[in-house]
Amino acid sequence: MPEGSDSERESDTGRAAFLRDIAEDVRGDSSESEQLAAILYRVSDLYDADEETTVPEIYRNVQNILEIKERGGLPERDG
């Protein structure tokens, strides 16, 4: 590994955790907050070393999240 790779990985891990913390903070009862949280969580996967994803995959997932919202959202979950 090139010099600095470990610090980059730590920074990326910190970035993933930071985005996920924000996602948890904004998640709420409204569909908009759920949508934003889902997008933030999905983007955080880019920075998670344990996730095997690509920018195009995340782009498609975010597009799907937006399309679901446009169609009226997901059916209510049983709780």
Side-chain angles (χ1 to χ4, degrees):
M1 286 181 129
E3 189 175 342
S5 294
D6 289 336
S7 65
E8 280 181 32
R9 183 174 298 273
E10 288 173 20
S11 173
D12 286 348
T13 300
R15 194 171 293 153
F18 180 68
L19 287 169
R20 290 173 182 169
D21 286 344
I22 293 171
E24 290 301 317
D25 286 346
V26 300
R27 179 170 280 128
D29 293 332
S30 74
S31 62
E32 290 83 4
S33 64
E34 287 285 332
Q35 179 184 28
L36 180 57
I39 291 169
L40 286 169
Y41 203 90
R42 192 62 183 118
V43 169
S44 75
D45 289 345
L46 276 176
Y47 303 104
D48 187 337
D50 294 332
E51 292 290 335
E52 292 183 16
T53 191
T54 65
V55 172
E57 288 172 330
I58 290 174
Y59 178 81
R60 283 190 299 274
N61 287 144
V62 170
Q63 254 186 327
N64 188 43
I65 291 167
L66 296 173
E67 288 170 3
I68 289 170
K69 170 66 175 156
E70 189 174 297
R71 289 191 312 254
L74 294 172
E76 291 297 318
R77 296 181 219 161
D78 292 335

